[in-house]
Amino acid sequence: MRKLLPILGSHPGGRSAMTCRYRCGDACFHEAPNTSGNEYAGDIIAGALSRRTMLRAGAVAGVVAVAGTGACSGDSAGAVTAGAGSAKGKPAKGLRFTPVEPNTADKVTVPEGYKQNVVIRWGEPILRGAPAFDPKKQTAKAQEGQFGYNNDFLSLLPLDGGDGERGGARRQLLVANHEYTDEVLMFAGYDADDPTREQAEIGWAAHGLSVVVVEGESKSGALKAVPRHRLNRRVTATTPFEVTGPAAGSRWLRTSADPEGRTVLGTLNNCAGGTTPWGTTLHGEENVDQYFANTEKVKDEKHRKRLERYALKGTDTERKWERFDDRFDVLKEPYEPHRFGWVVELDPYDPDSAPRKRTALGRFKHEAAQPRLTRDGHAVVYMGDDERFEYLYKFVSSKRMRRGESRADHEHNLTLLDEGTLYVAKLTGDSPADEIDGSGELPSDDKEFDGRGKWIPLATGDRSHVEGMTADEVYVFTRVAGDKVGATKMDRPEDVEASPRTGRVYAALTNNTDRGASGKAGPDEANPRKGNKHGQVLEFAEKDDDPAARRFTWRLFLVCGDPDDPDTYFGGFPKDQVSPISCPDNVTFDAYGNLWLSTDGNELGSHDGLFGVATTGPRRGEVRQFLTVPTGAETCGPIVQERRVLVSVQHPGEVDGATVEEPASQWPDGPDEYVRPSVVSVWRADGGNIGV
Ligand code: FEO
Ligand code: CA
Ligand code: CA
């Protein structure tokens, strides 16, 4: 069912050098900034469960309690019966599609019997007064009213009193991140050494977030944008944000433009995110280091080292924004970088509300933030810090979510992410240490990579739990706090999300080619491969099924790569029956509890894709590829509704040497048109449920 294609590139994670440069400021080409000497240790047990709330038209209504048991430590692969489907011998309900073969087609390839449409493209006008897209005459003003560049995270929120989950004609509210800009593919004749002010300002306007109402066609899963709707909104790199939580007003956040340290202009590099049970969206500010110039020239060593711990480096930046706004130059505004690298919360139903930077969730390269609730209503947010050898975090709110629909209830819920405890993860393996030799061979004791973990508290409100650091310092320099308490260095922790069926939590660890390199952390049981090109998916279960627990058990659910390679593992499922998968990045779940994974980079020669995999029942670990994206693109923001799959096609055509004049992709509109990052909807031609 699969055929492997020739290996194409050698950039880490299979990305083009252009993607590395524009997206993450060549994060994989410089020394990983975690040079701390902390090592591995750990502890205890658990089970699984959960409950998840569903959104209802902006306020919160029903809570869906879900079934499912099975202790992570006890059940062997395949021994847990799924709450939904998984009849023996048949694919899990929700995964009964013919897998897409690995391929390099310059299009979105979907399974047989499925259809697709482009929902919205970079530059489509969404606000009143915004002009039609004309890339040759683009202006910052036009871009401020148009859909931004490089859509990543997506959220679909219900409108008109319906849940919008079933497709059809109902309107929904689409929220999208715009992670970064690729000027070479946006501007004809772009001169990277001498960008114009207008180009910089277009870049500011093309970053950020979009909120746009979308409408379904009556007899398909197609969606289209509703321009000029009163809820449509753009948030950009210059939109005022309110800083909230325990570090608001901290001396580390003050600048000459904002001596109070409470108002920041804009958000940058929003990668993935989450949708809260109280009807807001969360957005992770990720590779923000690349926007700030002149770290190398900072004389104050303590300050420079703190910047370097966050990967800031060098002199000029790629986009040269420091030439047009002093705040992007750390010699002129030393603390401006501290004002990025947060989780931001947006209330998309309130277009006049200020978006907020939530300092209680710590500052690092936030990939995503998907909350869940404890049984008694505390919000728990798992978070990955996406850089080599960085950490996994968890925030537990001190307040409980109110389930009422009054304005007061909503205002209360908007404070949930401002008070609580921030934790970092430490994982310990339980197999003989000499068997974790970096080869990826399963240890002999229990034939899987597994062990125990604990959540180490870093700060609670204004109280620091880290010796030698104030609470402010813990929030603003969270990586340093993780170093001090000996958190486990992971292989690039990305999206983390709990299964609504079992309560088990899944974290994508995308890759880490430096694992085991000279002078770097060696393999451990949770990160067991040296030179890890393909990544792994960690599964963990909180003790007593309590998301607020301090202890958990974990195991690797997938060790990704070519299933023919002995260092791969697919939840115990026969490896000759799975799709190859490389560099897992985003995670989400369908209504049946299947895990869906999108990939970023592919070291197996195929284009990136979206994959589904059962996590319980006899098909546990059977990875099936659902779609692939065009040349140079990454699959992001997956949403799997009952009758519709939505993906972000990010950075299509981003191949080394490609320009506007000589594009590497013709997607989505064919030759002679600009390559445009876009959102795509996929549905079953016969109107049936996805994958069933
Ligand atoms: Fe923007 Fe970690 O991917
Ligand atoms: Ca083990
Ligand atoms: Ca990502």
mmCIF file of all heavy atoms in Angstrom, residues 430-431 443 445-446 448-451 525, ligand 2:
data_model
loop_
_atom_site.group_PDB
_atom_site.id
_atom_site.type_symbol
_atom_site.label_atom_id
_atom_site.label_comp_id
_atom_site.label_asym_id
_atom_site.label_seq_id
_atom_site.Cartn_x
_atom_site.Cartn_y
_atom_site.Cartn_z
ATOM 1 N N ASP A 430 11.956 3.313 32.662
ATOM 2 C CA ASP A 430 12.019 2.215 33.634
ATOM 3 C C ASP A 430 12.741 0.986 33.083
ATOM 4 O O ASP A 430 12.703 -0.070 33.676
ATOM 5 C CB ASP A 430 10.610 1.842 34.105
ATOM 6 C CG ASP A 430 9.747 1.291 32.987
ATOM 7 O OD1 ASP A 430 10.251 1.115 31.860
ATOM 8 O OD2 ASP A 430 8.558 1.029 33.256
ATOM 9 N N SER A 431 13.377 1.121 31.944
ATOM 10 C CA SER A 431 14.086 -0.024 31.366
ATOM 11 C C SER A 431 15.574 0.084 31.667
ATOM 12 O O SER A 431 16.062 1.160 32.014
ATOM 13 C CB SER A 431 13.850 -0.069 29.852
ATOM 14 O OG SER A 431 12.484 -0.303 29.586
ATOM 15 N N PRO A 443 13.476 -1.764 24.337
ATOM 16 C CA PRO A 443 14.130 -2.448 25.455
ATOM 17 C C PRO A 443 13.496 -3.817 25.703
ATOM 18 O O PRO A 443 12.321 -4.042 25.391
ATOM 19 C CB PRO A 443 13.918 -1.495 26.631
ATOM 20 C CG PRO A 443 12.783 -0.619 26.237
ATOM 21 C CD PRO A 443 12.773 -0.550 24.742
ATOM 22 N N ASP A 445 12.757 -5.439 28.486
ATOM 23 C CA ASP A 445 11.902 -5.733 29.647
ATOM 24 C C ASP A 445 10.415 -5.685 29.328
ATOM 25 O O ASP A 445 9.661 -6.575 29.653
ATOM 26 C CB ASP A 445 12.233 -4.802 30.825
ATOM 27 C CG ASP A 445 12.099 -3.334 30.467
ATOM 28 O OD1 ASP A 445 12.171 -3.000 29.267
ATOM 29 O OD2 ASP A 445 11.922 -2.516 31.382
ATOM 30 N N ASP A 446 9.967 -4.624 28.667
ATOM 31 C CA ASP A 446 8.534 -4.549 28.403
ATOM 32 C C ASP A 446 8.237 -4.207 26.954
ATOM 33 O O ASP A 446 7.111 -3.886 26.602
ATOM 34 C CB ASP A 446 7.861 -3.551 29.344
ATOM 35 C CG ASP A 446 8.624 -2.248 29.429
ATOM 36 O OD1 ASP A 446 9.493 -2.019 28.556
ATOM 37 O OD2 ASP A 446 8.358 -1.461 30.346
ATOM 38 N N GLU A 448 8.612 -1.788 25.117
ATOM 39 C CA GLU A 448 8.239 -0.452 24.693
ATOM 40 C C GLU A 448 9.049 0.566 25.485
ATOM 41 O O GLU A 448 9.613 0.256 26.522
ATOM 42 C CB GLU A 448 6.740 -0.182 24.807
ATOM 43 C CG GLU A 448 6.150 -0.310 26.183
ATOM 44 C CD GLU A 448 4.640 -0.096 26.168
ATOM 45 O OE1 GLU A 448 4.068 0.173 25.108
ATOM 46 O OE2 GLU A 448 4.045 -0.184 27.241
ATOM 47 N N PHE A 449 9.097 1.764 24.933
ATOM 48 C CA PHE A 449 9.738 2.855 25.642
ATOM 49 C C PHE A 449 8.691 3.440 26.574
ATOM 50 O O PHE A 449 7.661 3.952 26.114
ATOM 51 C CB PHE A 449 10.238 3.916 24.671
ATOM 52 C CG PHE A 449 11.298 3.418 23.722
ATOM 53 C CD1 PHE A 449 11.025 3.254 22.371
ATOM 54 C CD2 PHE A 449 12.571 3.112 24.184
ATOM 55 C CE1 PHE A 449 12.008 2.800 21.499
ATOM 56 C CE2 PHE A 449 13.558 2.659 23.329
ATOM 57 C CZ PHE A 449 13.275 2.497 21.977
ATOM 58 N N ASP A 450 8.930 3.371 27.862
ATOM 59 C CA ASP A 450 7.923 3.884 28.790
ATOM 60 C C ASP A 450 8.558 4.209 30.130
ATOM 61 O O ASP A 450 9.738 3.942 30.352
ATOM 62 C CB ASP A 450 6.760 2.896 28.947
ATOM 63 C CG ASP A 450 7.196 1.579 29.588
ATOM 64 O OD1 ASP A 450 8.411 1.364 29.765
ATOM 65 O OD2 ASP A 450 6.311 0.776 29.908
ATOM 66 N N GLY A 451 7.754 4.782 30.996
ATOM 67 C CA GLY A 451 8.260 5.137 32.311
ATOM 68 C C GLY A 451 7.288 6.031 33.060
ATOM 69 O O GLY A 451 6.084 5.999 32.814
ATOM 70 N N GLU A 525 14.988 7.325 27.558
ATOM 71 C CA GLU A 525 13.923 6.419 27.115
ATOM 72 C C GLU A 525 12.787 7.146 26.388
ATOM 73 O O GLU A 525 12.142 6.578 25.515
ATOM 74 C CB GLU A 525 13.388 5.582 28.286
ATOM 75 C CG GLU A 525 12.663 4.332 27.797
ATOM 76 C CD GLU A 525 12.469 3.261 28.850
ATOM 77 O OE1 GLU A 525 13.201 3.257 29.857
ATOM 78 O OE2 GLU A 525 11.568 2.417 28.655
HETATM 79 CA CA CA B 2 10.483 0.917 29.590
#
